[in-house]
Amino acid sequence: ETVWTELNQVTPALQGKNITVRGFVQTIRVVGKGVFCLLRSKMSTLQVVCFEGKSCSSAMIKYIGALPAESVVDVTGVVSCPETPIEAATQSLVELQVTSFHAVVKSQAALPFQMEDACQKVVDREADVGEYFEDAPEEVARGGVGRHLRLDYRWLDLRTPANQAIFRIESMVGQLFREYLVSQNFVEIHTPKIIGGASEGGSDVFTLDYFGRPACLAMSPQLHKQMTAACSGFERVFESGPVFRAEDSNTRRHLCEFTGLDLEMAIQEHYDEVLQVLCDLFVYIFDGINERCAVELERVREQYPFQNMKYLNPVLKLTYAEGCQLLRDAGIAQDDYEDLSTEHEKKLGDIVLQKYGTEFYFMDKYPLSVRPFYTMPDAENPKLSNSYDFFMRGQEILSGAQRIHEPNLLEERATAHGIDSKDIESYLQSFRHGAFPHGGGGIGLERVVMLFLNLPNIRQTSWFPRTPNRLAP
Ligand code: ATP
Ligand code: MG
Ligand code: MG
Ligand code: MG
C-alpha cells in the first residue's frame, strides 16, 4: 500500500516509516556506489539517498544518476534520521532511503538556469535588482529574448521555495482583505474592465477597438464601484481585480497590469469612518500574515533577508501639511499645495520612522488640485480635499477619498479638469437619482506584498509581470 506524503510532512516523527513522495528533482549527485538526490515540492526539499545494497541495484543507481534535473519523480523509501547533518543544500534532519524510484515525467529541455542559482541567498539587495529588472530596450528592439531569463522562464522561476512563499503570502493578503470586509458587511462586486471612451482620461490608458467603437481597459474600478455603493444602494462594496495602466516607463514599482484591491462605502457623517475601516483592514492583514504565514515568511527570509515592517495600532495619521512640514524641518523644500514626488515620499518615510517608529502611516487633506475630479473638496479650505494616501516603507500603497455625490458639483469639477461631460454621461447621470455620501480607496496588491517583504522590485510579486517590454509568458 502506498502512503503518499507531502514533502513538508516528512519529519523525524516518521522515522522508520515507509512512504512515497512526489517532487521535482533539483540536483543529482553520484558518489561511488550511490546517489544523492535533492527533491523539491512547494516550499520544501528532501534529501533522497540510494546506495547499492539490499533495496537498490546498480542499474537503479545508474537510472537515477542519468535523470535530467527538474524531472518529476515518485520515490518510495524509508524515513531515516542521519546522525550527522547531511552536507547537501538542505538543513533537514531527515532523509529518505530509497526502495523504489520512478520518473513520472522526464524534463525534456535544457534548463536555462540552474535552480540552485535561482535559490541563491541575496546578500546585496540593491545589486540583486538587476536580476528581475526589465530587458534593456535596445535588446528588445533587436528581437532578443532578453537577458532576464528568470522572467522569460517564469514557470521555472516560480518553483523556488522563496517564490512559492511569496505567492502564498500574496494569496493570503487577498484572503484577509476579503475576510475582513465580508465581516464588515461589504458585498463583493465585479465591474467591467472594458469601458467606453477615455472614461477617466489620461495618457496611460490602453485603448482598444470594440466592434468599431473606441473603448479602453479600466484604469481602476472607480466609477462603477461608486455607482454600486452610492447610486445602486449597496452601500458597502469591494472588488479584487485587474487594473490596466500604460505606464510607459520601467520603474521598480509600476506594472502595466496589476491587481487592485478596492473598496467603497457609504458614510454617515464623516470620511473618518472610511479611514477607520482602512486602518483596521490593514492591521488585520499585517497581523494575519504574521500569524498565519510564519513558514512562508521564513522561506522568503532565507533567500531575501528582510526586517519586519514596523507598524502601530492605532495607525499613525498625519495631515498632508504636517507631512510637508516634516520635510521642510529636515531641510527639504516642499510646498503644502504641490504634489509629493516619489523621492520626497521616500524621504518622508525615513523621517516618520525616525520620529514615530512606524513604517506604516497615512496622510489626509491633500491639495485638491493634485487629486482626481471626483474628489470631495474640504468644506473649510477649498484648496484642500477630503482625500488620503497610505504608505508602507515610504511608498504609496493606497489612494482614496470622500467622493462628490452631488451631481452638479461633480459635473462642475469634471469640466474644471477638462473632462467632457459627454464622455462620462452615464456616470454623471447615475448621481441624478439620489446617491449616498460615500468614500473609499484603492490598494495595489503587488505593491503591498513587495513592501511588506521589503523586496526591491514589483516584478517579484507579480505572477507574470506585464511591463512595457514584456508580454510573455
Ligand atoms: P503612483 O503614484 O505610485 O504612480 P498612483 O497614485 O498613480 O500610484 P493610484 O491611482 O492612486 O496610483 O492607484 C491606487 C494604488 O494602486 C496605488 O496606491 C498603488 O498601490 C497601486 N498602483 C498604482 N499604479 C500602479 C502600477 N502601475 N503598478 C502597480 N501598482 C500600482
Ligand atoms: Mg501613477
Ligand atoms: Mg501617487
Ligand atoms: Mg495614488
Side-chain angles (χ1 to χ4, degrees):
E1 195 196 345
T2 309
V3 185
W4 286 99
T5 309
E6 291 274 328
L7 242 54
N8 66 342
Q9 301 295 320
V10 186
T11 60
L14 292 184
Q15 186 169 13
K17 294 266 178 345
N18 200 50
I19 60 162
T20 303
V21 294
R22 175 172 290 180
F24 291 110
V25 174
Q26 181 159 315
T27 51
I28 298 164
R29 212 154 39 87
V30 182
V31 230
K33 295 198 162 190
V35 58
F36 289 99
C37 165
L38 189 67
L39 270 198
R40 192 191 63 248
S41 167
K42 297 175 190 156
M43 295 185 292
S44 310
T45 52
L46 175 67
Q47 172 98 314
V48 160
V49 189
C50 187
F51 271 91
E52 207 177 317
K54 289 196 294 286
S55 53
C56 291
S57 64
S58 61
M60 195 163 150
I61 289 163
K62 211 171 154 200
Y63 170 78
I64 298 171
L67 278 177
E70 295 306 305
S71 296
V72 176
V73 298
D74 284 352
V75 183
T76 300
V78 181
V79 178
S80 77
C81 302
E83 271 158 31
T84 46
I86 334 157
E87 22 98 45
T90 168
Q91 302 292 303
S92 171
L93 301 168
V94 285
E95 56 180 37
L96 200 61
Q97 305 280 350
V98 178
T99 52
S100 124
F101 194 113
H102 104 104
V104 180
V105 180
K106 287 187 188 177
S107 174
Q108 301 191 1
L111 292 176
F113 50 80
Q114 296 307 309
M115 294 307 291
E116 300 281 270
D117 295 338
C119 296
Q120 274 307 313
K121 180 169 176 173
V122 169
V123 199
D124 182 350
R125 186 173 170 279
E126 284 307 306
D128 184 57
V129 168
E131 186 78 54
Y132 278 100
F133 216 44
E134 213 37 81
D135 309 320
E138 57 279 13
E139 178 111 345
V140 172
R142 275 192 272 111
V145 287
R147 292 157 297 142
H148 297 280
L149 290 174
R150 290 179 61 172
L151 287 181
D152 289 344
Y153 295 87
R154 185 63 158 162
W155 58 90
L156 283 176
D157 186 37
L158 289 172
R159 291 182 192 180
T160 64
N163 277 338
Q164 293 279 321
I166 287 171
F167 289 96
R168 283 178 163 79
I169 291 167
E170 191 161 288
S171 167
M172 185 58 78
V173 173
Q175 185 180 322
L176 292 161
F177 172 76
R178 180 175 282 112
E179 226 174 75
Y180 183 72
L181 292 177
V182 167
S183 81
Q184 301 300 307
N185 300 320
F186 280 72
V187 173
E188 180 163 13
I189 57 169
H190 303 282
T191 62
K193 302 306 158 205
I194 305 176
I195 54 181
S199 271
E200 268 190 83
S203 57
D204 43 0
V205 59
F206 286 109
T207 55
L208 59 100
D209 176 81
Y210 192 74
F211 304 111
R213 277 197 287 165
C216 60
L217 293 177
M219 293 173 61
S220 79
Q222 186 58 37
L223 308 185
H224 291 93
K225 80 179 172 171
Q226 283 185 258
M227 257 190 238
T228 51
C231 310
S232 308
F234 282 86
E235 298 189 33
R236 292 186 156 208
V237 302
F238 72 92
E239 176 164 8
S240 167
V243 175
F244 302 94
R245 297 194 187 176
E247 309 271 9
D248 195 14
S249 62
N250 281 303
T251 77
R252 293 182 198 179
R253 46 188 233 127
H254 290 101
L255 296 163
C256 293
E257 179 175 348
F258 66 93
T259 308
L261 302 179
D262 272 84
L263 65 94
E264 201 69 29
M265 60 182 264
I267 56 184
Q268 261 69 52
E269 288 168 30
H270 199 278
Y271 71 95
D272 276 351
E273 296 158 34
V274 186
L275 287 170
Q276 194 56 55
V277 167
L278 291 173
C279 290
D280 292 346
L281 168 66
F282 278 113
V283 170
Y284 186 81
I285 290 174
F286 301 151
D287 286 351
I289 306 176
N290 285 331
E291 283 160 19
R292 299 187 204 176
C293 295
V295 174
E296 287 80 359
L297 290 168
E298 203 41 50
R299 284 294 170 282
V300 176
R301 236 187 276 279
E302 277 162 17
Q303 185 166 6
Y304 305 105
F306 69 95
Q307 299 286 317
N308 285 348
M309 186 186 73
K310 295 193 175 69
Y311 61 99
L312 303 171
N313 191 12
V315 177
L316 175 68
K317 172 194 164 131
L318 298 172
T319 63
Y320 190 75
E322 285 167 343
C324 294
Q325 187 60 51
L326 285 174
L327 281 168
R328 287 194 296 271
D329 291 347
I332 299 158
Q334 175 66 47
D335 189 283
D336 282 356
Y337 293 100
E338 268 162 31
D339 212 354
L340 271 184
S341 64
T342 303
E343 192 198 336
H344 283 192
E345 283 176 348
K346 286 186 179 158
K347 285 187 174 148
L348 184 57
D350 292 339
I351 295 167
V352 168
L353 175 58
Q354 288 278 319
K355 191 166 162 142
Y356 300 98
T358 179
E359 296 173 284
F360 174 65
Y361 69 99
F362 72 94
M363 291 195 287
D364 76 342
K365 295 272 177 235
Y366 273 67
L368 185 63
S369 62
V370 307
R371 306 301 281 201
F373 75 92
Y374 45 75
T375 308
M376 184 65 94
D378 176 21
E380 271 143 43
N381 180 348
K383 287 169 78 181
L384 297 181
S385 64
N386 292 350
S387 63
Y388 35 82
D389 272 13
F390 280 64
F391 298 89
M392 284 167 71
R393 304 197 202 256
Q395 296 195 48
E396 176 193 329
I397 49 145
L398 171 144
S399 285
Q402 181 183 354
R403 332 288 187 181
I404 298 169
H405 57 278
E406 204 283 305
N408 295 333
L409 178 57
L410 192 55
E411 185 161 3
E412 187 186 303
R413 294 292 305 150
T415 310
H417 273 249
I419 295 167
D420 191 339
S421 45
K422 280 204 294 299
D423 285 341
I424 48 167
E425 208 177 305
S426 59
Y427 173 68
L428 290 175
Q429 179 76 10
S430 71
F431 286 92
R432 295 220 157 83
H433 300 125
F436 280 89
H438 64 293
I443 305 165
L445 172 63
E446 291 84 355
R447 223 180 258 185
V448 169
V449 178
M450 166 179 87
L451 294 165
F452 192 83
L453 303 175
N454 207 17
L455 293 166
N457 197 318
I458 198 165
R459 287 159 185 76
Q460 289 175 267
T461 55
S462 170
W463 286 92
F464 298 99
R466 288 290 171 263
T467 47
N469 296 330
R470 185 172 288 282
L471 256 179

